[in-house]
Amino acid sequence: MILEIAILNVIAGRELEFEANFRQASGIIASMNGYISHQLQRCIEHPNRYVLLVNWDSLEDHTEGFRGSVQYDEWRALLHHFYEPFPTVEHYSLVMENHL
């Protein structure tokens, strides 16, 4: 499993519209092969900044499967016009985990 982390800086004043579109876009990403789960979290200190956390079975499920799909075009049309600057996206593998 890999974790995709995207830092999303939304144009100030468009946060609620972005969140509404993201709710719609959530169904798109959740339907993709290799998708496990996702979270969208909003920054407290910078209310127009979000972090998107997506768990995928493999890196290729995101970079080739999702990004190479017709569904990605729909995702992009719903969300990409909200970002300034364009998001930084990185992928991580688990080293350690602990729960109370």
Side-chain angles (χ1 to χ4, degrees):
M1 182 174 77
I2 64 104
L3 174 63
E4 168 198 352
I5 299 178
I7 307 299
L8 311 174
N9 291 293
V10 171
I11 298 165
R14 300 197 66 195
E15 296 88 353
L16 295 180
E17 184 184 357
F18 166 72
E19 290 177 17
N21 279 29
F22 191 88
R23 279 190 272 291
Q24 185 179 350
S26 287
I28 296 169
I29 198 168
S31 73
M32 299 306 300
N33 287 336
Y35 166 88
I36 298 171
S37 66
H38 72 279
Q39 292 181 11
L40 179 68
Q41 297 199 24
R42 190 173 185 177
C43 182
I44 294 168
E45 293 82 7
H46 304 279
N48 68 316
R49 182 174 298 151
Y50 297 79
V51 63
L52 172 61
L53 308 168
V54 186
N55 287 297
W56 296 96
D57 281 331
S58 71
L59 177 64
E60 294 75 23
D61 286 326
H62 177 230
T63 59
E64 296 171 20
F66 179 52
R67 286 188 180 165
S69 71
V70 172
Q71 293 91 331
Y72 183 71
D73 293 335
E74 189 178 349
W75 170 274
R76 186 174 46 228
L78 283 168
L79 300 174
H80 283 197
H81 60 282
F82 289 106
Y83 306 136
E84 183 59 45
F86 197 75
T88 300
V89 178
E90 296 180 317
H91 301 90
Y92 293 81
S93 61
L94 183 65
V95 174
M96 188 191 111
E97 183 172 38
N98 187 30
H99 294 280
L100 293 177

